[in-house]
Amino acid sequence: MINKIVASLEEAVADIADGSTILIGGFGGAGMPSALMSALIAQGARELTVVNNNAGNGDTGLAALIGAKQVRKIICSFPRQADSWHFDKAYRAGELELELVPQGTLAERIRAAGAGIGAFFTPTAYGTRLAEGKETRRIGDRDYVLEHPIHADYALIKADRGDRWGNLTYRMTARNFGPIMASAANCTIAQVRETVELGQLDPEAVVTPGIFVKRVVKTGATA
Amino acid sequence: MINKIVASLEEAVADIADGSTILIGGFGGAGMPSALMSALIAQGARELTVVNNNAGNGDTGLAALIGAKQVRKIICSFPRQADSWHFDKAYRAGELELELVPQGTLAERIRAAGAGIGAFFTPTAYGTRLAEGKETRRIGDRDYVLEHPIHADYALIKADRGDRWGNLTYRMTARNFGPIMASAANCTIAQVRETVELGQLDPEAVVTPGIFVKRVVKTGATA
Amino acid sequence: MKRMDRNQIAARVARDIPEGAYVNLGIGLPTLVADHIPKGREVLLHSENGVLGVGPKPAPGAEDGDLVNAGKEPVTLLAGGSFFHHADSFAMIRGRHLDVCVLGAFQVAINGDLANWHTGAPDAIPAVGGAMDLAVGAKNVYVMMEHLTKSGESKIVERCTYPLTGASCVNRIYTDLAVIDVTPDGLQVVDMVEGLGFEELQRLTGVPLTRGKAAHGAALA
Amino acid sequence: MKRMDRNQIAARVARDIPEGAYVNLGIGLPTLVADHIPKGREVLLHSENGVLGVGPKPAPGAEDGDLVNAGKEPVTLLAGGSFFHHADSFAMIRGRHLDVCVLGAFQVAINGDLANWHTGAPDAIPAVGGAMDLAVGAKNVYVMMEHLTKSGESKIVERCTYPLTGASCVNRIYTDLAVIDVTPDGLQVVDMVEGLGFEELQRLTGVPLTRGKAAHGAALA
């Protein structure tokens, strides 16, 4: 019997090696897999490359991972926020490499990795500093920049409900990067509020089919 | 008040001009917008370029449109079937141009049009006859073919339920090309089994948000 | 002359957004526009973090951390709204499905170049978010900003000195002094605040302006 | 020797599909594999028209035209199955999320080239469907075919004479005579039907074969 539900957060993240590339779900706090982040901090993997829309908020989740000096590089669209002090400090100290990517290009690069697309032309950032050094092309009446996929070793995401086949649903705008990140990693680990029996998720409303998910861990409503 | 629900099939297709490019939903009969196709045959627009996975089955839907000699060109992945006699006849008579596209590339080209992607590299068809004359590139350890989006003037699709803002849900595998076609046309027209009040569709389970839909027409369960 | 305050500018922008428009309001100043859309006019607000049909702020105590806008502020969802993932959300933006986006700006150039993400200061931590996607993606890009910097320089310029967000992407500029269209024939003034003459606006702005025909706001395609 | 019939080949393929595998069965012959997956072994069948967790044929009278597989035959959905649109379905295929796909073939070349979509006849109407996507996308591409054509020629060839579906994409060939791995060192025979000797298989096949170590079927990544 297939059973992707693992018993503990510790077990879920146990094999994450130093130097891994990790997609981390969430847009600010919404969808941030905080329980998995805490487990990753306890686990201690270092020299990580992390991909998230932001660079951590406050003292929890991704911010805490940066504070614990486990991150070598961050790929994100919007690092600077009022409460991104852990990132700001590490970045200004030169301890953290930053790759800044427009938000839609970030999403599409992740989606491309999951969909087996080798590269794509996007109009976003054409003529700007973020396209410097990149291949460009005029197609029809628009100018485009060539962008490449972001593949990862792991994706850590937060979903709402999950079953033993790894099917997931999300809750409102906490969905954000979860579904595309799930598709782009070799090993996707989802923390869920609730686990349900097979068949309890409406097949028309499953957002992430289990094919994209390797491990599901239940955290309850609080994490 | 926004109201995308139109009263009749005739009204829904009235402005389709000769020479239009039309995306037609469906995989064989599942998801084929037969009622809209009948209305299009009655309306009489000619010299159409149509995009569908197949080239019509039996004597209804797309097959009937081909039989009525309204189609100049068809872009599809799988024209030849046991019951594709209308296509076969027109094609062998030289009345119909065929652009054969691998099914996944067809889907991705339609999706690219809806998503504002200028072109993309896909591994599909590399080294085959269907990639002849196309730009190729080695990226990492895989070879890719450059493919371009398929934009359309209209999309005619079949959905299950729809509301006055154009939100749609689908029924099982009748979903197939509907959501991506809706995104890739200037004017998307959906025939639905049932129209519902705003708010009756679960916001977590809307498959096609209304932003992609211009007209909704109710046909009931039979069409 | 009577400079408009932030809410007056927002109301002026709102006037130009027709019923049925799909609209993205950038974080900061543009968010105010939502409060000024006339009652009964159905306008669909998109937020790039995966929601269409954004409703008003929740009542105090009714906030939900899983329902936020692009500025990470708690919002509500209208009946008829929907949720989707980030790639789908930016497909809407990049694929030209939004009728209007309203963005703040540091500078707008006479050719419609927009600078709004980075001051270029060497020690600044850059952050771009969805601005570059919105700038190239929306059918109509409206900028909403003060006409002058705090030191009195025009933010409408011959050529942006700050790093660009997008090239030739702005369609219309709303400031505390005027509404100005960016056209192939140059900047055309749509209207000005009470008590401000064209010559005075021209003097304050620095780059060439012409008196435009009154325009009509975003048309739905 | 005892040639395998279609169901025996299908059963041989099914033996190599481990629990938990995500599998796409091509239309025609490969569809039979589903009937031979041992009871109690959970294998998830994908169909490119947007469904994962395909179940057995519906009972007569219970068919639903909206629930079909890639061959447009009525199917059912297992508890735990899900529906998605075509771009997402082919993202699964192209993005290397399927562990196995099983395809029919006209020819397979010694380097793993596959020809299964077009006879090349000038008057044939070509139809490719999802074959090219499956050929490049699945982690393991299994071919299931008769070893010989009706006129007795080997379908395993030095070089395909029919138009290719995919280059160097086949991992393993199941025929009515043998199971053969395509490896960087050439074709390796995994097993043969009862009563068939290696020399006889070599003679029938024409292209060089080696005796391989017994292999183990698809491993889950």
Side-chain angles (χ1 to χ4, degrees):
Chain A
M1 196 180 85
I2 302 166
N3 189 9
K4 299 185 179 182
I5 299 171
V6 296
S8 72
L9 291 158
E10 292 64 32
E11 186 186 338
V13 303
D15 61 358
I16 299 181
D18 289 357
S20 295
T21 295
I22 310 183
L23 305 170
I24 298 173
F27 182 86
M32 169 67 64
S34 301
L36 286 171
M37 300 307 292
S38 299
L40 182 56
I41 291 167
Q43 192 260 21
R46 301 176 73 86
E47 295 292 314
L48 303 173
T49 294
V50 301
V51 184
N52 180 262
N53 186 62
N54 303 103
N57 301 83
D59 295 308
T60 59
L62 176 53
L65 189 74
I66 293 169
K69 299 189 184 297
Q70 292 175 250
V71 181
R72 185 188 66 77
K73 178 179 176 181
I74 185 158
I75 302 175
C76 73
S77 88
F78 208 81
R80 187 198 59 216
Q81 297 192 270
D83 57 353
S84 60
W85 47 77
H86 284 292
F87 166 80
D88 296 5
K89 190 177 156 211
Y91 179 73
R92 292 196 193 281
E95 296 166 6
L96 196 56
E97 185 185 343
L98 169 66
E99 180 180 344
L100 190 73
V101 181
Q103 195 171 147
T105 300
L106 185 67
E108 191 68 10
R109 288 177 64 190
I110 294 166
R111 190 257 172 200
I117 298 300
F120 59 90
F121 284 100
T122 176
T124 300
Y126 179 84
T128 78
R129 189 182 277 198
L130 296 188
E132 273 171 23
K134 296 190 172 174
E135 181 176 337
T136 61
R137 185 179 297 204
R138 189 164 190 90
I139 303 170
D141 61 353
R142 246 173 146 182
D143 292 298
Y144 295 86
V145 181
L146 187 68
E147 291 285 355
H148 289 82
I150 300 175
H151 293 276
D153 300 302
Y154 293 88
L156 305 183
I157 63 172
K158 180 182 177 180
D160 189 47
R161 302 204 295 164
D163 65 27
R164 67 176 176 85
W165 281 2
N167 293 304
L168 302 176
T169 61
Y170 299 83
R171 193 164 171 273
M172 301 192 285
T173 59
R175 185 183 304 194
N176 58 69
F177 283 90
I180 50 175
M181 286 183 168
S183 76
N186 292 332
C187 178
T188 292
I189 307 169
Q191 69 169 71
V192 299
R193 182 180 58 81
E194 187 186 6
T195 53
V196 298
E197 291 301 310
L198 223 53
Q200 283 195 266
L201 301 178
D202 177 358
E204 306 278 8
V206 167
V207 175
T208 295
I211 192 171
F212 296 124
V213 179
K214 285 280 198 304
R215 300 172 196 159
V216 174
V217 58
K218 180 179 167 176
T219 59
T222 51
Chain B
M1 195 181 88
I2 302 166
N3 188 8
K4 299 185 179 181
I5 298 172
V6 296
S8 72
L9 291 159
E10 292 64 33
E11 186 187 337
V13 303
D15 61 357
I16 299 181
D18 289 357
S20 295
T21 295
I22 310 183
L23 304 169
I24 298 174
F27 182 86
M32 169 68 65
S34 301
L36 286 171
M37 299 306 292
S38 298
L40 182 57
I41 292 167
Q43 191 260 23
R46 301 176 71 87
E47 294 292 314
L48 303 173
T49 294
V50 301
V51 183
N52 179 262
N53 186 63
N54 303 103
N57 301 83
D59 296 306
T60 60
L62 176 54
L65 189 74
I66 293 169
K69 299 190 185 296
Q70 292 174 251
V71 181
R72 186 187 66 76
K73 178 179 176 181
I74 185 158
I75 303 174
C76 73
S77 88
F78 208 82
R80 187 198 59 216
Q81 297 192 269
D83 57 354
S84 60
W85 47 77
H86 285 291
F87 167 80
D88 296 6
K89 190 177 155 212
Y91 179 74
R92 292 196 193 281
E95 296 165 7
L96 196 55
E97 185 186 342
L98 169 66
E99 179 180 343
L100 190 73
V101 181
Q103 195 171 148
T105 300
L106 184 67
E108 191 68 10
R109 289 176 64 190
I110 295 167
R111 191 255 171 201
I117 298 300
F120 59 90
F121 285 101
T122 176
T124 300
Y126 179 84
T128 78
R129 187 182 278 200
L130 296 188
E132 274 171 22
K134 294 191 173 174
E135 181 177 337
T136 61
R137 186 180 297 204
R138 189 164 190 91
I139 303 170
D141 60 353
R142 247 172 146 183
D143 293 298
Y144 296 86
V145 181
L146 187 68
E147 291 284 355
H148 289 81
I150 300 175
H151 292 276
D153 301 301
Y154 292 88
L156 305 183
I157 63 172
K158 180 182 179 179
D160 189 46
R161 302 203 296 164
D163 65 27
R164 67 176 176 85
W165 281 2
N167 293 304
L168 302 176
T169 61
Y170 299 82
R171 192 163 172 274
M172 302 191 284
T173 59
R175 183 183 306 194
N176 58 68
F177 284 90
I180 50 174
M181 287 183 167
S183 76
N186 292 331
C187 178
T188 292
I189 308 169
Q191 69 169 70
V192 299
R193 180 180 59 81
E194 186 186 5
T195 53
V196 299
E197 292 301 310
L198 223 53
Q200 283 194 266
L201 300 179
D202 177 358
E204 306 278 8
V206 167
V207 175
T208 295
I211 192 170
F212 296 124
V213 178
K214 284 280 197 302
R215 300 172 196 161
V216 173
V217 58
K218 180 180 167 175
T219 59
T222 51
Chain C
M1 85 189 140
K2 267 182 74 165
R3 284 176 194 275
M4 290 195 281
D5 65 21
R6 297 154 57 99
N7 277 297
Q8 289 170 315
I9 309 173
R12 181 63 189 81
V13 174
R15 229 174 77 191
D16 288 347
I17 297 178
E19 171 143 299
Y22 291 91
V23 179
N24 184 295
L25 301 175
I27 61 181
L29 197 54
T31 307
L32 283 181
V33 172
D35 300 338
H36 296 277
I37 291 171
K39 287 258 177 282
R41 186 188 293 178
E42 286 191 332
V43 167
L44 284 145
L45 299 182
H46 171 269
S47 192
E48 55 263 44
N49 55 316
V51 52
L52 192 64
V54 175
K57 255 182 257 188
E63 299 88 352
D64 187 318
D66 284 346
L67 182 47
V68 296
N69 65 13
K72 285 148 191 134
E73 301 158 329
V75 292
T76 54
L77 185 77
L78 301 181
S82 57
F83 300 111
F84 32 85
H85 64 57
H86 246 81
D88 282 350
S89 185
F90 278 86
M92 289 180 192
I93 295 172
R94 200 191 303 107
R96 293 212 179 284
H97 301 284
L98 293 177
D99 297 299
V100 175
C101 85
V102 185
L103 295 170
F106 297 143
Q107 293 176 323
V108 179
I110 52 178
N111 69 345
D113 284 0
L114 170 67
N116 82 346
W117 71 285
H118 195 335
T119 61
D123 65 334
I125 296 177
V128 65
M132 288 189 180
D133 305 279
L134 287 162
V136 301
K139 289 179 199 159
N140 292 280
V141 174
Y142 291 172
V143 158
M144 183 176 166
M145 65 179 186
E146 305 281 308
H147 205 93
L148 304 175
T149 65
K150 277 177 190 146
S151 54
E153 289 154 50
S154 173
K155 295 170 78 170
I156 303 171
V157 295
E158 178 72 26
R159 204 186 149 89
C160 293
T161 55
Y162 291 143
L164 291 195
T165 305
S168 301
C169 59
V170 175
N171 300 96
R172 183 174 271 200
I173 307 164
Y174 296 83
T175 78
D176 49 340
L177 298 182
V179 178
I180 299 171
D181 276 341
V182 181
T183 81
D185 302 325
L187 301 176
Q188 299 192 336
V189 178
V190 176
D191 55 35
M192 294 171 285
V193 294
E194 221 180 292
L196 176 63
F198 179 80
E199 286 69 24
E200 174 68 358
L201 181 66
Q202 176 64 82
R203 194 189 59 77
L204 288 166
T205 308
V207 297
L209 304 174
T210 59
R211 292 165 209 261
K213 298 163 207 148
H216 326 282
L220 297 186
Chain D
M1 82 188 142
K2 266 183 75 167
R3 283 176 195 276
M4 289 196 281
D5 65 20
R6 297 154 57 99
N7 275 298
Q8 287 170 316
I9 309 174
R12 181 61 189 81
V13 174
R15 230 174 76 191
D16 287 347
I17 297 177
E19 171 143 297
Y22 290 91
V23 179
N24 184 296
L25 301 175
I27 61 181
L29 196 54
T31 306
L32 283 182
V33 173
D35 300 339
H36 294 278
I37 291 173
K39 286 259 175 280
R41 187 188 293 177
E42 286 191 331
V43 167
L44 285 145
L45 299 182
H46 171 269
S47 192
E48 55 263 45
N49 55 317
V51 51
L52 192 63
V54 175
K57 254 182 258 189
E63 298 88 353
D64 187 318
D66 284 346
L67 182 48
V68 297
N69 65 14
K72 287 151 189 130
E73 301 159 328
V75 293
T76 54
L77 185 76
L78 301 180
S82 56
F83 300 110
F84 32 86
H85 63 56
H86 247 80
D88 282 349
S89 185
F90 279 87
M92 290 179 193
I93 294 172
R94 200 191 303 105
R96 294 213 179 284
H97 301 285
L98 293 177
D99 297 298
V100 174
C101 85
V102 185
L103 295 170
F106 297 143
Q107 292 176 324
V108 178
I110 52 177
N111 68 344
D113 284 1
L114 170 67
N116 81 347
W117 72 285
H118 196 334
T119 61
D123 65 334
I125 296 177
V128 64
M132 288 188 180
D133 305 279
L134 287 162
V136 301
K139 288 180 199 158
N140 292 279
V141 174
Y142 291 172
V143 158
M144 183 176 165
M145 65 179 186
E146 305 281 308
H147 205 93
L148 305 175
T149 65
K150 277 175 190 147
S151 54
E153 288 155 51
S154 173
K155 295 170 78 169
I156 302 172
V157 294
E158 177 73 26
R159 205 186 149 89
C160 292
T161 55
Y162 290 144
L164 290 195
T165 305
S168 300
C169 59
V170 176
N171 300 96
R172 182 173 272 199
I173 307 164
Y174 296 83
T175 78
D176 50 339
L177 298 182
V179 178
I180 299 172
D181 276 341
V182 181
T183 81
D185 302 325
L187 300 177
Q188 299 193 338
V189 179
V190 176
D191 55 36
M192 294 172 284
V193 294
E194 221 180 293
L196 175 64
F198 179 79
E199 286 71 22
E200 174 69 358
L201 180 67
Q202 176 63 82
R203 193 188 62 76
L204 288 166
T205 308
V207 297
L209 304 175
T210 60
R211 293 166 208 258
K213 298 164 206 144
H216 327 281
L220 296 186

